PDB file of all heavy atoms in Angstrom:
ATOM      1  N   LYS K 313     -27.620 -33.418  33.494  1.00  0.00           N
ATOM      2  CA  LYS K 313     -27.371 -33.789  32.101  1.00  0.00           C
ATOM      3  C   LYS K 313     -27.109 -35.287  31.958  1.00  0.00           C
ATOM      4  O   LYS K 313     -27.474 -35.891  30.953  1.00  0.00           O
ATOM      5  CB  LYS K 313     -26.170 -33.002  31.550  1.00  0.00           C
ATOM      6  CG  LYS K 313     -26.422 -31.506  31.468  1.00  0.00           C
ATOM      7  CD  LYS K 313     -25.254 -30.764  30.847  1.00  0.00           C
ATOM      8  CE  LYS K 313     -24.039 -30.667  31.745  1.00  0.00           C
ATOM      9  NZ  LYS K 313     -24.255 -29.838  32.948  1.00  0.00           N
ATOM     10  N   THR K 314     -26.478 -35.875  32.981  1.00  0.00           N
ATOM     11  CA  THR K 314     -26.076 -37.273  32.858  1.00  0.00           C
ATOM     12  C   THR K 314     -27.254 -38.195  32.577  1.00  0.00           C
ATOM     13  O   THR K 314     -27.191 -39.061  31.711  1.00  0.00           O
ATOM     14  CB  THR K 314     -25.381 -37.742  34.157  1.00  0.00           C
ATOM     15  OG1 THR K 314     -24.482 -36.725  34.572  1.00  0.00           O
ATOM     16  CG2 THR K 314     -24.651 -39.024  33.941  1.00  0.00           C
ATOM     17  N   LEU K 340     -13.860 -38.869  36.049  1.00  0.00           N
ATOM     18  CA  LEU K 340     -15.221 -38.543  35.688  1.00  0.00           C
ATOM     19  C   LEU K 340     -15.871 -39.733  34.978  1.00  0.00           C
ATOM     20  O   LEU K 340     -17.038 -40.045  35.208  1.00  0.00           O
ATOM     21  CB  LEU K 340     -15.218 -37.314  34.778  1.00  0.00           C
ATOM     22  CG  LEU K 340     -16.479 -36.489  34.777  1.00  0.00           C
ATOM     23  CD1 LEU K 340     -16.849 -36.029  36.169  1.00  0.00           C
ATOM     24  CD2 LEU K 340     -16.284 -35.277  33.863  1.00  0.00           C
ATOM     25  N   HIS K 344     -19.207 -41.618  36.236  1.00  0.00           N
ATOM     26  CA  HIS K 344     -20.368 -41.914  35.383  1.00  0.00           C
ATOM     27  C   HIS K 344     -20.682 -43.410  35.411  1.00  0.00           C
ATOM     28  O   HIS K 344     -21.826 -43.815  35.515  1.00  0.00           O
ATOM     29  CB  HIS K 344     -20.100 -41.501  33.936  1.00  0.00           C
ATOM     30  CG  HIS K 344     -20.270 -40.030  33.699  1.00  0.00           C
ATOM     31  ND1 HIS K 344     -21.139 -39.255  34.421  1.00  0.00           N
ATOM     32  CD2 HIS K 344     -19.693 -39.189  32.803  1.00  0.00           C
ATOM     33  CE1 HIS K 344     -21.078 -38.007  33.980  1.00  0.00           C
ATOM     34  NE2 HIS K 344     -20.199 -37.943  33.002  1.00  0.00           N
ATOM     35  N   ASP K 408     -19.272 -35.642  27.020  1.00  0.00           N
ATOM     36  CA  ASP K 408     -19.614 -34.870  28.212  1.00  0.00           C
ATOM     37  C   ASP K 408     -18.563 -33.783  28.423  1.00  0.00           C
ATOM     38  O   ASP K 408     -17.393 -33.977  28.101  1.00  0.00           O
ATOM     39  CB  ASP K 408     -19.652 -35.800  29.427  1.00  0.00           C
ATOM     40  CG  ASP K 408     -20.263 -35.109  30.655  1.00  0.00           C
ATOM     41  OD1 ASP K 408     -20.968 -34.095  30.480  1.00  0.00           O
ATOM     42  OD2 ASP K 408     -20.030 -35.592  31.776  1.00  0.00           O
ATOM     43  N   GLU K 409     -18.969 -32.657  28.987  1.00  0.00           N
ATOM     44  CA  GLU K 409     -18.051 -31.527  29.192  1.00  0.00           C
ATOM     45  C   GLU K 409     -17.291 -31.259  27.902  1.00  0.00           C
ATOM     46  O   GLU K 409     -16.056 -31.190  27.887  1.00  0.00           O
ATOM     47  CB  GLU K 409     -17.072 -31.809  30.339  1.00  0.00           C
ATOM     48  CG  GLU K 409     -17.704 -32.258  31.639  1.00  0.00           C
ATOM     49  CD  GLU K 409     -18.405 -31.136  32.402  1.00  0.00           C
ATOM     50  OE1 GLU K 409     -18.291 -29.966  32.004  1.00  0.00           O
ATOM     51  OE2 GLU K 409     -19.094 -31.457  33.395  1.00  0.00           O
ATOM     52  N   MET K 433     -22.382 -32.297  25.378  1.00  0.00           N
ATOM     53  CA  MET K 433     -22.942 -31.697  26.597  1.00  0.00           C
ATOM     54  C   MET K 433     -21.944 -30.702  27.186  1.00  0.00           C
ATOM     55  O   MET K 433     -20.741 -30.929  27.162  1.00  0.00           O
ATOM     56  CB  MET K 433     -23.259 -32.773  27.624  1.00  0.00           C
ATOM     57  CG  MET K 433     -24.130 -33.891  27.053  1.00  0.00           C
ATOM     58  SD  MET K 433     -25.038 -34.820  28.299  1.00  0.00           S
ATOM     59  CE  MET K 433     -23.721 -35.691  29.141  1.00  0.00           C
ATOM     60  N   GLY K 563     -16.850 -31.708  36.439  1.00  0.00           N
ATOM     61  CA  GLY K 563     -17.911 -32.502  37.050  1.00  0.00           C
ATOM     62  C   GLY K 563     -17.701 -33.486  38.188  1.00  0.00           C
ATOM     63  O   GLY K 563     -18.409 -34.471  38.275  1.00  0.00           O
ATOM     64  N   ARG K 594     -23.464 -30.688  46.955  1.00  0.00           N
ATOM     65  CA  ARG K 594     -23.957 -31.851  46.229  1.00  0.00           C
ATOM     66  C   ARG K 594     -24.568 -32.884  47.161  1.00  0.00           C
ATOM     67  O   ARG K 594     -25.051 -33.909  46.720  1.00  0.00           O
ATOM     68  CB  ARG K 594     -22.823 -32.473  45.424  1.00  0.00           C
ATOM     69  CG  ARG K 594     -22.263 -31.457  44.466  1.00  0.00           C
ATOM     70  CD  ARG K 594     -21.354 -32.075  43.445  1.00  0.00           C
ATOM     71  NE  ARG K 594     -21.559 -31.396  42.185  1.00  0.00           N
ATOM     72  CZ  ARG K 594     -21.933 -31.984  41.064  1.00  0.00           C
ATOM     73  NH1 ARG K 594     -22.132 -33.281  41.024  1.00  0.00           N
ATOM     74  NH2 ARG K 594     -22.104 -31.282  39.972  1.00  0.00           N
TER      75      ARG K 594
HETATM   76 MG1   MG X  10     -21.989 -33.630  34.401  1.00  0.00          MG
END
Side-chain angles (χ1 to χ4, degrees):
K313 295 183 288 294
T314 316
L340 205 56
H344 281 331
D408 191 19
E409 308 286 352
M433 307 202 291
R594 301 192 143 238

